[in-house]
Amino acid sequence: MVNLEWYRTFKEIYENGTLTKASVALYASQPGVSVHLNALEAYVGKKLFERTSRKMIPTEDGKFLYEYIIESLTKLEVAEQHFKKTTQEKNPSLNIGMCSEMFQLILEPEIKKLNFDLVARFGAHTDLIKDLNNGILDLVITPKKQVEKNHW
């Protein structure tokens, strides 16, 4: 089954014309947006955009997919706004990876106090580090020492 976030990312790229503008609209990292697009293209088995140095140009398959999903995505966004408990302003989100026990003990009681959306992913240390390196996660909290460069 396809990940709904891939469709949301595709829609933003389609409407904004660049990965960078789409990442700003989604409050996501540019590498994360690229990962979502690549995953969706691999899933559907078709190239959805022609990539130029300045713009993402939808292919015919990309145009067809957009027309096919836009009404449903719009309805879901309206439903989300209708049932959303927070203010009308979009909250930034932070994608973190950690073990579920640490999340339950430390972060879960504090979630209501956060002024941003927290998206948590649980898994093995090596898988979380891969997701961090691929731009899917913004932060990994782990008791294991990382020996690669560019990690704290």
Side-chain angles (χ1 to χ4, degrees):
M1 181 178 214
V2 71
N3 182 334
L4 179 60
E5 288 303 311
W6 297 349
Y7 285 141
R8 292 177 74 175
T9 301
F10 167 77
K11 173 189 169 279
E12 291 299 331
I13 297 168
Y14 189 97
E15 293 177 354
N16 288 288
T18 69
L19 295 175
T20 302
K21 288 179 184 176
S23 69
V24 170
L26 292 165
Y27 294 98
S29 68
Q30 190 273 331
V33 168
S34 184
V35 166
H36 281 190
L37 176 59
N38 291 336
L40 180 60
E41 286 181 327
Y43 182 82
V44 299
K46 299 189 183 290
K47 191 173 181 181
L48 300 172
F49 292 96
E50 293 294 334
R51 291 146 173 87
T52 69
S53 60
R54 296 197 175 265
K55 194 164 175 129
M56 301 287 284
I57 302 167
T59 63
E60 289 303 313
D61 288 320
K63 291 175 187 177
F64 179 76
L65 179 63
Y66 180 83
E67 292 301 320
Y68 199 77
I69 67 169
I70 189 60
E71 185 178 339
S72 297
L73 282 178
T74 302
K75 284 181 181 179
L76 286 171
E77 288 170 354
V78 169
E80 178 184 20
Q81 288 305 313
H82 179 75
F83 291 102
K84 192 172 183 182
K85 190 168 96 170
T86 59
T87 64
Q88 292 296 338
E89 293 181 20
K90 285 188 176 180
N91 287 335
S93 63
L94 178 65
N95 294 287
I96 64 167
M98 61 189 336
C99 69
S100 60
E101 294 83 6
M102 185 181 296
F103 177 82
Q104 289 172 336
L105 290 172
I106 298 171
L107 288 180
E108 193 170 36
E110 306 298 321
I111 288 178
K112 291 180 183 177
K113 299 175 189 174
L114 300 177
N115 61 353
F116 56 88
D117 295 331
L118 184 66
V119 180
R121 179 173 291 193
F122 309 114
H125 166 79
T126 54
D127 294 334
L128 295 174
I129 294 298
K130 285 179 189 173
D131 288 347
L132 178 68
N133 290 333
N134 289 328
I136 297 169
L137 296 175
D138 300 311
L139 173 70
V140 171
I141 302 171
T142 177
K144 299 205 180 204
K145 184 176 181 179
Q146 184 66 29
V147 293
E148 294 178 29
K149 295 180 184 178
N150 301 324
H151 295 277
W152 304 317

